[in-house]
mmCIF file of all heavy atoms in Angstrom:
data_model
loop_
_atom_site.group_PDB
_atom_site.id
_atom_site.type_symbol
_atom_site.label_atom_id
_atom_site.label_comp_id
_atom_site.label_asym_id
_atom_site.label_seq_id
_atom_site.Cartn_x
_atom_site.Cartn_y
_atom_site.Cartn_z
ATOM 1 N N VAL C 226 -80.632 43.094 -14.290
ATOM 2 C CA VAL C 226 -81.868 43.623 -13.715
ATOM 3 C C VAL C 226 -83.007 43.582 -14.719
ATOM 4 O O VAL C 226 -84.181 43.592 -14.347
ATOM 5 C CB VAL C 226 -81.686 45.061 -13.183
ATOM 6 C CG1 VAL C 226 -80.708 45.070 -12.013
ATOM 7 C CG2 VAL C 226 -81.214 46.000 -14.277
ATOM 8 N N GLU C 227 -82.660 43.556 -15.997
ATOM 9 C CA GLU C 227 -83.715 43.524 -17.003
ATOM 10 C C GLU C 227 -83.131 42.984 -18.289
ATOM 11 O O GLU C 227 -81.986 43.282 -18.634
ATOM 12 C CB GLU C 227 -84.254 44.951 -17.240
ATOM 13 C CG GLU C 227 -85.400 44.997 -18.243
ATOM 14 C CD GLU C 227 -86.060 46.373 -18.323
ATOM 15 O OE1 GLU C 227 -85.527 47.328 -17.725
ATOM 16 O OE2 GLU C 227 -87.103 46.479 -18.990
ATOM 17 N N GLN C 228 -83.874 42.136 -19.015
ATOM 18 C CA GLN C 228 -83.417 41.743 -20.334
ATOM 19 C C GLN C 228 -84.590 41.457 -21.237
ATOM 20 O O GLN C 228 -85.701 41.179 -20.785
ATOM 21 C CB GLN C 228 -82.456 40.561 -20.275
ATOM 22 C CG GLN C 228 -83.030 39.271 -19.689
ATOM 23 C CD GLN C 228 -82.008 38.156 -19.793
ATOM 24 O OE1 GLN C 228 -81.488 37.912 -20.882
ATOM 25 N NE2 GLN C 228 -81.699 37.508 -18.683
ATOM 26 N N GLY C 229 -84.351 41.532 -22.549
ATOM 27 C CA GLY C 229 -85.420 41.272 -23.504
ATOM 28 C C GLY C 229 -85.023 41.722 -24.889
ATOM 29 O O GLY C 229 -83.912 42.218 -25.094
ATOM 30 N N ALA C 230 -85.925 41.573 -25.839
ATOM 31 C CA ALA C 230 -85.656 42.020 -27.205
ATOM 32 C C ALA C 230 -85.424 43.540 -27.165
ATOM 33 O O ALA C 230 -86.073 44.251 -26.396
ATOM 34 C CB ALA C 230 -86.822 41.678 -28.114
ATOM 35 N N THR C 231 -84.510 44.003 -28.003
ATOM 36 C CA THR C 231 -84.015 45.358 -27.847
ATOM 37 C C THR C 231 -85.100 46.425 -27.911
ATOM 38 O O THR C 231 -85.269 47.222 -26.987
ATOM 39 C CB THR C 231 -82.944 45.649 -28.915
ATOM 40 O OG1 THR C 231 -81.980 44.606 -28.849
ATOM 41 C CG2 THR C 231 -82.281 46.978 -28.678
ATOM 42 N N GLU C 232 -85.850 46.447 -29.025
ATOM 43 C CA GLU C 232 -86.781 47.564 -29.195
ATOM 44 C C GLU C 232 -87.862 47.620 -28.107
ATOM 45 O O GLU C 232 -88.043 48.673 -27.487
ATOM 46 C CB GLU C 232 -87.404 47.524 -30.592
ATOM 47 C CG GLU C 232 -88.194 48.799 -30.857
ATOM 48 C CD GLU C 232 -88.800 48.838 -32.245
ATOM 49 O OE1 GLU C 232 -88.271 48.155 -33.148
ATOM 50 O OE2 GLU C 232 -89.805 49.554 -32.413
ATOM 51 N N PRO C 233 -88.521 46.494 -27.831
ATOM 52 C CA PRO C 233 -89.529 46.555 -26.748
ATOM 53 C C PRO C 233 -88.912 46.985 -25.424
ATOM 54 O O PRO C 233 -89.527 47.750 -24.667
ATOM 55 C CB PRO C 233 -90.051 45.116 -26.656
ATOM 56 C CG PRO C 233 -89.692 44.475 -27.945
ATOM 57 C CD PRO C 233 -88.487 45.170 -28.478
ATOM 58 N N LEU C 234 -87.704 46.510 -25.148
ATOM 59 C CA LEU C 234 -87.079 46.872 -23.877
ATOM 60 C C LEU C 234 -86.858 48.371 -23.786
ATOM 61 O O LEU C 234 -87.155 49.000 -22.780
ATOM 62 C CB LEU C 234 -85.753 46.119 -23.719
ATOM 63 C CG LEU C 234 -85.023 46.349 -22.395
ATOM 64 C CD1 LEU C 234 -84.473 45.036 -21.856
ATOM 65 C CD2 LEU C 234 -83.899 47.364 -22.511
ATOM 66 N N PHE C 235 -86.377 48.947 -24.880
ATOM 67 C CA PHE C 235 -86.134 50.395 -24.871
ATOM 68 C C PHE C 235 -87.433 51.171 -24.779
ATOM 69 O O PHE C 235 -87.520 52.206 -24.135
ATOM 70 C CB PHE C 235 -85.353 50.811 -26.116
ATOM 71 C CG PHE C 235 -83.865 50.734 -25.922
ATOM 72 C CD1 PHE C 235 -83.174 49.559 -26.157
ATOM 73 C CD2 PHE C 235 -83.149 51.837 -25.483
ATOM 74 C CE1 PHE C 235 -81.818 49.482 -25.975
ATOM 75 C CE2 PHE C 235 -81.780 51.765 -25.295
ATOM 76 C CZ PHE C 235 -81.113 50.579 -25.541
ATOM 77 N N ARG C 236 -88.454 50.668 -25.451
ATOM 78 C CA ARG C 236 -89.720 51.397 -25.429
ATOM 79 C C ARG C 236 -90.368 51.329 -24.051
ATOM 80 O O ARG C 236 -90.944 52.301 -23.585
ATOM 81 C CB ARG C 236 -90.680 50.814 -26.478
ATOM 82 C CG ARG C 236 -90.356 51.264 -27.890
ATOM 83 C CD ARG C 236 -91.403 50.714 -28.841
ATOM 84 N NE ARG C 236 -91.075 50.973 -30.235
ATOM 85 C CZ ARG C 236 -91.401 52.092 -30.879
ATOM 86 N NH1 ARG C 236 -92.043 53.051 -30.243
ATOM 87 N NH2 ARG C 236 -91.078 52.247 -32.148
ATOM 88 N N ALA C 237 -90.233 50.178 -23.394
ATOM 89 C CA ALA C 237 -90.945 50.011 -22.129
ATOM 90 C C ALA C 237 -90.143 50.536 -20.936
ATOM 91 O O ALA C 237 -90.699 51.201 -20.064
ATOM 92 C CB ALA C 237 -91.274 48.532 -21.926
ATOM 93 N N MET C 238 -88.836 50.241 -20.907
ATOM 94 C CA MET C 238 -87.979 50.642 -19.784
ATOM 95 C C MET C 238 -88.627 50.272 -18.462
ATOM 96 O O MET C 238 -88.942 51.135 -17.643
ATOM 97 C CB MET C 238 -87.732 52.161 -19.796
ATOM 98 C CG MET C 238 -87.015 52.653 -20.997
ATOM 99 S SD MET C 238 -85.273 52.793 -20.673
ATOM 100 C CE MET C 238 -84.690 53.233 -22.292
ATOM 101 N N ARG C 239 -88.826 48.979 -18.262
ATOM 102 C CA ARG C 239 -89.575 48.560 -17.069
ATOM 103 C C ARG C 239 -88.807 48.800 -15.785
ATOM 104 O O ARG C 239 -89.344 49.279 -14.811
ATOM 105 C CB ARG C 239 -89.928 47.084 -17.187
ATOM 106 C CG ARG C 239 -91.214 46.910 -17.958
ATOM 107 C CD ARG C 239 -91.868 45.582 -17.749
ATOM 108 N NE ARG C 239 -92.871 45.427 -18.807
ATOM 109 C CZ ARG C 239 -92.555 44.978 -20.008
ATOM 110 N NH1 ARG C 239 -91.324 44.613 -20.280
ATOM 111 N NH2 ARG C 239 -93.489 44.901 -20.927
#
Side-chain angles (χ1 to χ4, degrees):
Chain C
V226 295
E227 182 172 9
Q228 61 175 307
T231 308
E232 189 178 336
L234 183 137
F235 271 87
R236 282 184 187 273
M238 298 264 175
R239 274 199 195 84

